[in-house]
Each structure stands twice: as C-alpha cells, then as structure tokens.
Amino acid sequence: MPFAGVGFWTVWSQFFPGNKAPLTENTIPSQKGRVFIVTGGSSGLGYELSKILYRAGGRVYILSRTKANVDKAIESIEKSATSKDGDEPGVLRSIHLDLEDLTSVRDAALEFLRREERLDVLFNNAGVTSIPAGTKTKQDIEYHIGVNVVGHVLLEALLRPVLSQTAKTAAKDTVRVIWSASILVELGSSRGGVRVETLDKPGSDIGELYAASKVGSWFVASEITRRFGRDTGVVQVAGNPGNYVTNVWRTTPGFIYYPFRLVLRNPVYGAYTYLWMALAEEVTMDDAMSGKYATCNGRWHPGQRDDLLLALRGKDEGGTGQASAFYEWCHSKITPCRSTARLGGC
C-alpha cells in the first residue's frame, strides 16, 4: 500500500527497524591501519561510531566545533572502549570544524592533510535541525542547507585527492564517503526533493528546509559519484541511519502539521547502519553510481519516491536534473573556498 509515495512498510521499517544489524562492535573486522573522519563525533551516532572504530583499531579523527565536548568524548571513549579480540585499540584525534563557516571547513581539511597521508572513510555525520527560519551561515547560506550539505561538500572536495590516493592501494570499493539522510527524505521533502530555484531566497517552512538538506545529501552523494567515482575509485553512499531522535515538523500535504519529538532507539543502532554503509562488501561503486539509498541497520531502500528517483537522472536520461542542478548550486558556493591557501577565498 503506498504511503507518502513509498510503501507503507518501507516507512514503518524505518521508524521501527528492529535491532538486527549485520555489522556491530562485535562483528566488525579489524580496522588497524585505516584512517577515518567522523564529523560531529562528540555525541550521538557519531560518538558511538567513533567508539566502535577506535575499538576495532582504526585511527579516528573527530571533527567538531566545541573542543570541550570533543575532549570529553575522547576521554570517555578511551576509558570505556576495550580493545576488540585482544588487539590494541586505535587512535583518537580531534580537529576543530565549524560547518557554518566555510573558512573553518577549509582549515580543518588542510589540518588533516598536514597530519595524514591517507583517508579510508569520511563520515559526513554532523548536522542541525529545527533552526529558526531566516538563520544564515557565515557565507549567507540558509543554515540547514549550509551546515548539513554545503559545508560537507567543501570538506569532501578538499579531501577527495587523499581519498583517491588511498583508493589506489586499498581494496576495490573500500574507500568511501558516507552522507547522512533521514526518514524526512520521504515524509518531509517537496516534490523533486529540493526546490533549487528558491535556495538563495528560502522560505520559512523549517520542516521543508531540513528535509531538503537531507535529500540534498543524497543528491550530492549520487552526483559526485556519477561525475568522479570511476576516476577516483571513491564510493559515495547516502542513507537514513535510523532516526533514534528526530524532530518531525510536518509530513506530507494533507496530513497534520505540528512539531513533536520522537525518541525511538539508542544511537548505537544508527552507528551500525553507518558501519554497513562504510564497510560492507556488498556496497559497491555500481550501487553508488545507480543512486541507491541505504536505510536502517544495513540494507538498501526498496524503492524511493518516483519524483526523487527522477531528480537523480539528467534531462537527457528522462529525469528532471534536479540533483545535478543542486550540486552545481553547492559547487558555486564552495568555489571561493577551495583554494589550498589559508588566506583569501571565503
């Protein structure tokens, strides 16, 4: 039975996915020698993910805005996360990152490149929700779109060379970029996912703005893969990790509109979804090229809304080209900040 443009059970299984996941802290293979970035890793899903990767031997960089919170998270992880199977745990490091300021994003990327020569997985996890309408980033971008998408687009662009370099020596399709989406991709987004023509003059519907940022993460993941994936060897995957806490501002036209807060499950289960997206062997470049969208626990979405699938395809492919147009808009916003110099630009 269709619901909000997708099957009813597809929606139901994202709200109530159960707790069975193919990859957990107990089944993850050793990550020794691999390097990870987790944005927003000092709390929630990012914290749980960082803890699992550290326990498995990974070298984990937490990129976040508030130093005190990151320091506290690292101390907590190091005290509580025992090593896996008797192996030595990994390494935890932090770099300051403020996604509302593209200058900070650029500096964070450059700081990472100063410290490391490889990057296996970039988790674009950090995000905001329910920010008052009219709030803008330092570069005058609507806040949800600016923080959740544009900041991460710049971070990925600056780190793409090291990701690509890592992919040359890593196993096929194992170097990845993970983008965070939401159940509101289905339930809260406008037709086509993102109204590109209004991005520079956004409206006041907070629910639509947030949902657009989540759809936008999927769009850019698909578009970057289509444009650069075969050349770089970097797989980009977007999906809903599982809404353990979500602010629902609206559903679809004709349904009740009011804010309420859902607390569904422990954030560690969202981290399990990220593990599948980042590490599962069944996730391939071909999947990313086709625009597949991941969902809770570790599985592919059985079928997104038709208008969103059309948006992923160009007009010459019978689609609407909205994903491409959105990526081009994001690219125009990050272009002044892509210089490798620390001065000038943004």
Side-chain angles (χ1 to χ4, degrees):
M1 181 175 65
F3 176 76
V6 298
F8 173 80
W9 291 111
T10 298
V11 174
W12 180 270
S13 67
Q14 290 180 78
F15 276 114
F16 305 101
N19 296 330
K20 294 182 179 179
L23 282 173
T24 70
E25 66 269 36
N26 296 319
T27 59
I28 180 177
S30 173
Q31 299 301 306
K32 187 175 181 179
R34 306 191 81 209
V35 180
F36 304 90
I37 286 178
V38 181
T39 68
S42 61
S43 63
L45 274 68
Y47 172 86
E48 299 294 342
L49 175 65
S50 298
K51 181 163 64 173
I52 294 171
L53 294 172
Y54 166 77
R55 179 173 177 261
R59 189 175 184 88
V60 184
Y61 282 81
I62 296 176
L63 273 57
S64 193
R65 180 171 56 183
T66 307
K67 185 178 186 303
N69 292 345
V70 178
D71 290 346
K72 182 179 179 180
I74 290 176
E75 180 182 7
S76 175
I77 291 172
E78 289 178 339
K79 285 182 177 179
S80 65
T82 58
S83 61
K84 183 178 183 294
D85 300 329
D87 293 334
E88 286 295 318
V91 176
L92 287 168
R93 294 288 184 267
S94 68
I95 295 176
H96 178 262
L97 170 70
D98 186 350
L99 286 163
E100 74 165 303
D101 183 357
L102 296 180
T103 301
S104 174
V105 175
R106 182 191 61 196
D107 289 348
L110 293 176
E111 178 62 20
F112 175 82
L113 294 173
R114 186 184 68 81
R115 300 191 198 183
E116 296 288 345
E117 296 181 349
R118 71 176 292 130
L119 175 59
D120 293 88
V121 184
L122 165 61
F123 291 93
N124 288 329
N125 162 73
V128 295
T129 182
S130 303
I131 302 299
T135 306
K136 300 290 186 72
T137 68
K138 298 293 185 183
Q139 283 72 34
D140 201 36
I141 303 168
E142 193 282 319
Y143 207 84
H144 298 89
I145 295 288
V147 171
N148 296 351
V149 190
V150 178
H152 281 127
V153 170
L154 177 60
L155 184 65
E156 187 279 336
L158 293 171
L159 296 177
R160 194 180 304 157
V162 71
L163 286 160
S164 181
Q165 185 64 33
T166 305
K168 292 178 181 178
T169 57
K172 185 176 183 290
D173 295 348
T174 60
V175 176
R176 301 179 189 175
V177 179
I178 307 306
W179 300 78
S180 178
S182 164
I183 185 65
L184 293 189
V185 167
E186 288 111 309
L187 298 185
S189 64
S190 60
R191 183 166 181 78
V194 180
R195 293 192 293 162
V196 180
E197 69 278 4
T198 68
L199 288 171
D200 288 314
K201 295 182 179 180
S204 58
D205 185 335
I206 299 172
E208 181 181 342
L209 294 171
Y210 173 71
S213 75
K214 298 286 100 176
V215 179
S217 293
W218 179 24
F219 282 2
V220 297
S222 175
E223 198 63 26
I224 293 171
T225 301
R226 283 163 63 97
R227 295 183 184 213
F228 310 110
R230 298 294 188 197
D231 292 334
T232 63
V234 180
V235 176
Q236 313 241 358
V237 182
N240 173 21
N243 299 61
Y244 72 100
V245 177
T246 185
N247 292 299
V248 179
W249 286 89
R250 68 176 204 165
T251 56
T252 53
F255 284 80
I256 297 173
Y257 178 108
Y258 67 97
F260 61 97
R261 190 165 179 82
L262 292 173
V263 181
L264 299 178
R265 60 178 187 162
N266 190 298
V268 72
Y269 296 109
Y272 295 164
T273 307
Y274 278 154
L275 290 180
W276 183 83
M277 294 164 71
L279 305 178
E281 292 182 1
E282 60 262 40
V283 176
T284 68
M285 179 69 76
D286 289 340
D287 294 325
M289 290 287 290
S290 67
K292 282 189 175 181
Y293 177 89
T295 190
C296 310
N297 289 341
R299 54 196 169 91
W300 292 120
H301 195 291
Q304 266 288 3
R305 282 169 25 192
D306 289 344
D307 61 302
L308 300 179
L309 297 177
L310 285 172
L312 293 177
R313 301 203 298 268
K315 293 181 179 179
D316 60 337
E317 302 171 296
T320 64
Q322 282 168 273
S324 178
F326 177 69
Y327 174 76
E328 290 292 343
W329 180 86
C330 291
H331 189 268
S332 72
K333 300 301 179 183
I334 70 168
T335 297
C337 305
R338 292 192 65 172
S339 169
T340 55
R342 287 186 180 271
L343 300 177
C346 311

